[in-house]
Amino acid sequence: MTPVPRTWGLRFWLITVAAVAAILVTASLGRWQLSRAAQKQELQSLLDQRAALPPIDNQQLRGHAGEADGVQDLIHRAVLLQGRWVPEHTVYLDNRQMQGRPGFFVLTPLRLEGSDAVVLVQRGWVPRNFQDRQQLPLVQTAPGVVQLAGRIAPPPSRLYEFQGADSSQGSSRIRQNLDLTAFRTETGLALMNLSVLQAGPASEGLQRDWPVIGAGVDKHYGYAFQWFGLSGLIAILYVWFQLVRRFLRPRPRPLA
């Protein structure tokens, strides 16, 4: 008796093509995530180098900010500035969170000592009074010349804003977002195209538990692991169900 040969039908080849395509796609996505991780690693190294540099003072800040690409080169650099608060232009950005609690980010312009240049300072976070949503929390603002330690940051990030919302009006202290160009026109201040994130422990009624600076390298490594794991799982399932089980399955006896 001659054993019956196993056939490789259309269903087998369709499954094979689909499995190979899925393995290639998931493996490519894993490699892409690794390339993104390498880019983020370079960015993290740059951020670490900037954070290790000596703090920038008033004169250095004005000099760098006046250059064409100076602002981007300053992001995340430490600063040690002297100036006077401009408290009449303090703004409270609504719906900001710190440690999972909703409240305000308090922003106050700081006029640098010895010049007309002004930098917008993200001073910290305060909780909101939900019993009276228009009540401004108490924030202490020292008069005279103050010394400020912090780091350079982009202007505050924007949140989604409903059209016609009261908090978006330029005349309101409480706002959803703050456009630096419009704020410069509104106040008449010589605001730089950057902001300063004030550092230090809680003070003046403000908390400053800012997120740690990071480029998110670990996230991309995690995604890459998931894609490569899925690619390997598809390969294992294909080999088991389409090859191993096919040859382990008892062969039917041929008819006499």
Side-chain angles (χ1 to χ4, degrees):
M1 293 184 297
T2 304
V4 177
R6 296 190 181 277
T7 59
W8 308 89
L10 178 62
R11 181 174 179 271
F12 170 82
W13 291 112
L14 289 176
I15 294 176
T16 299
V17 171
V20 171
I23 291 171
L24 292 176
V25 169
T26 51
S28 297
L29 289 172
R31 292 182 60 188
W32 179 75
Q33 289 292 343
L34 288 180
S35 67
R36 290 287 294 157
Q39 296 173 5
K40 291 295 184 68
Q41 186 63 56
E42 293 180 1
L43 176 59
Q44 185 65 57
S45 299
L46 177 61
L47 295 180
D48 294 340
Q49 292 173 9
R50 289 183 180 179
L53 292 174
I56 296 174
D57 59 19
N58 289 20
Q59 184 176 357
Q60 292 172 320
L61 180 60
R62 294 198 305 269
H64 284 290
E67 300 173 0
D69 298 328
V71 173
Q72 288 301 319
D73 294 338
L74 292 177
I75 298 298
H76 301 306
R77 284 286 305 270
V79 295
L80 188 59
L81 306 176
Q82 288 186 335
R84 298 173 183 268
W85 295 116
V86 189
E88 61 270 23
H89 294 304
T90 295
V91 172
Y92 297 78
L93 292 188
D94 199 3
N95 297 316
R96 265 49 177 193
Q97 292 192 4
M98 186 165 287
Q99 296 182 344
R101 299 174 57 197
F104 298 107
F105 281 173
V106 180
L107 279 58
T108 303
L110 180 75
R111 180 175 284 108
L112 300 182
E113 186 71 2
S115 73
D116 293 329
V118 180
V119 62
L120 187 65
V121 180
Q122 302 183 50
R123 299 175 59 189
W125 176 91
V126 288
R128 182 166 194 168
N129 185 342
F130 290 97
Q131 303 298 325
D132 184 0
R133 297 184 63 87
Q134 296 303 314
Q135 180 180 345
L136 296 176
L138 179 62
V139 175
Q140 303 167 11
T141 303
V145 179
V146 297
Q147 183 165 283
L148 175 74
R151 56 182 167 88
I152 303 295
S157 58
R158 295 184 63 85
L159 301 181
Y160 181 78
E161 188 171 9
F162 291 102
Q163 293 294 329
D166 293 339
S167 59
S168 65
Q169 296 178 358
S171 59
S172 175
R173 286 287 190 98
I174 300 176
R175 309 187 188 189
Q176 184 78 351
N177 296 298
L178 183 67
D179 180 80
L180 203 57
T181 302
F183 192 59
R184 185 184 298 114
T185 302
E186 174 192 338
T187 60
L189 299 173
L191 285 165
M192 296 182 178
N193 290 319
L194 50 80
S195 71
V196 169
L197 211 64
Q198 186 173 354
S203 64
E204 303 173 314
L206 296 158
Q207 297 183 28
R208 302 187 182 94
D209 296 323
W210 305 113
V212 178
I213 302 174
V217 178
D218 294 339
K219 175 183 66 176
H220 292 287
Y221 282 128
Y223 289 155
F225 176 80
Q226 292 176 11
W227 285 120
F228 285 131
L230 181 58
S231 180
L233 177 62
I234 294 172
I236 292 172
L237 292 176
Y238 172 79
V239 170
W240 173 255
F241 285 103
Q242 298 302 314
L243 299 178
V244 175
R245 288 189 61 180
R246 177 181 291 267
F247 288 99
L248 291 179
R249 188 183 306 153
R251 298 182 180 183
R253 294 183 178 181
L255 298 176

